[in-house]
Amino acid sequence: MSDTAPYTKLPGPLALFRQSWQLYISHLGLFLKLVIVPTLLSLIALALVAAVVFATNPQFLTDFQVPNLVLVIPAVIIAAVVSGIISLLGRIAIIKAIEAQGNTPGIIALLKSGWPILGRFVLTQLLSSLVILLGFILLIIPGLILSLRYLFVTFVVISEHKSGWAALKQSSAYVKGKFWPIVGRSLFIGLPTLLISIASAQIDSAIATSLIQIIMTLVISPIILIYLYQLYQ
């Protein structure tokens, strides 16, 4: 998008979905790896921390004394931070793969490419989340409006190398004059996903619920990112 974002008619929701599906299917292996590899790395990090904790303190599960907790809590925090960083790098990698239309140098290179912008990415996400939260605290409607205005912040940070208020202002500029068309297209992809999540929570079967969650993680989440990126473009 250009900085001024002159009004142009947006593609219809079905057209956006078809484009997203085609890109996902054309590079299915890549997107599956970009979801699975960071997840596995996060699990490995958590497993290593757990192994260290139990190796140094094997009685932890049966002895919840304060000294034991003092040793374990920092390890848990470290594991959570490492896992979070890996997850964020995975998300950045997926967006970079979408930006490149699947023509990427490889999984590891994509994950590494996110490291230089990780700080800006996290701070800008926190800033937009804080502003949106304040909107919801004041009144529900301002929070909803801000959520739409900052819909493209993630893409602006990664694709245009802007951050902070500059990224928020740029996202708002893209939405200006297209608010309701973007609302409709967002609901088209977001509402079914929400309904699936609600329905899966009502299923009285751990296996079925797990299968739905796997499908959502491997298929629906990447397609939503592709769809929103196509809308951003």
Side-chain angles (χ1 to χ4, degrees), residues 8-32:
T8 54
K9 187 175 181 180
L10 297 173
L14 285 174
L16 285 169
F17 183 79
R18 282 196 296 268
Q19 293 170 11
S20 304
W21 177 255
Q22 288 170 0
L23 179 59
Y24 177 78
I25 290 298
S26 299
H27 303 280
L28 178 61
L30 173 65
F31 287 114
L32 289 179

Side-chain angles (χ1 to χ4, degrees), residues 124-151 153 165 168:
T124 305
Q125 289 294 314
L126 289 174
L127 177 62
S128 64
S129 298
L130 178 60
V131 174
I132 292 169
L133 178 61
L134 289 174
F136 278 111
I137 290 173
L138 294 174
L139 285 172
I140 298 298
I141 300 301
L144 293 173
I145 293 173
L146 289 170
S147 297
L148 261 296
R149 288 181 63 181
Y150 300 149
L151 182 64
V153 163
W165 287 112
L168 271 62

Side-chain angles (χ1 to χ4, degrees), residues 39 48 55 64-65 68 90 106 123 134 173 193-194 208 226:
T39 302
L48 288 174
F64 292 96
Q65 299 298 320
N68 293 336
L123 291 176
L134 289 174
T193 305
L194 177 62
I226 298 171

Side-chain angles (χ1 to χ4, degrees), residues 34 89 92-93 96 104-116:
L34 285 172
L89 289 175
I92 294 172
K96 283 182 170 289
T104 62
I107 306 298
I108 301 302
L110 276 174
L111 291 172
K112 287 181 178 179
S113 69
W115 186 255

Side-chain angles (χ1 to χ4, degrees), residues 19-99:
Q19 293 170 11
S20 304
W21 177 255
Q22 288 170 0
L23 179 59
Y24 177 78
I25 290 298
S26 299
H27 303 280
L28 178 61
L30 173 65
F31 287 114
L32 289 179
K33 290 175 185 176
L34 285 172
V35 174
I36 293 171
V37 170
T39 302
L40 289 177
L41 290 176
S42 296
L43 290 175
I44 290 171
L46 292 172
L48 288 174
V49 171
V52 171
V53 169
F54 292 124
T56 56
N57 190 10
Q59 292 82 30
F60 174 69
L61 287 178
T62 56
D63 186 7
F64 292 96
Q65 299 298 320
V66 172
N68 293 336
L69 292 175
V70 169
L71 292 173
V72 170
I73 289 175
V76 172
I77 292 173
I78 292 171
V81 170
V82 171
S83 179
I85 289 173
I86 294 172
S87 297
L88 289 171
L89 289 175
R91 185 175 179 84
I92 294 172
I94 292 175
I95 294 172
K96 283 182 170 289
I98 296 169
E99 182 182 29

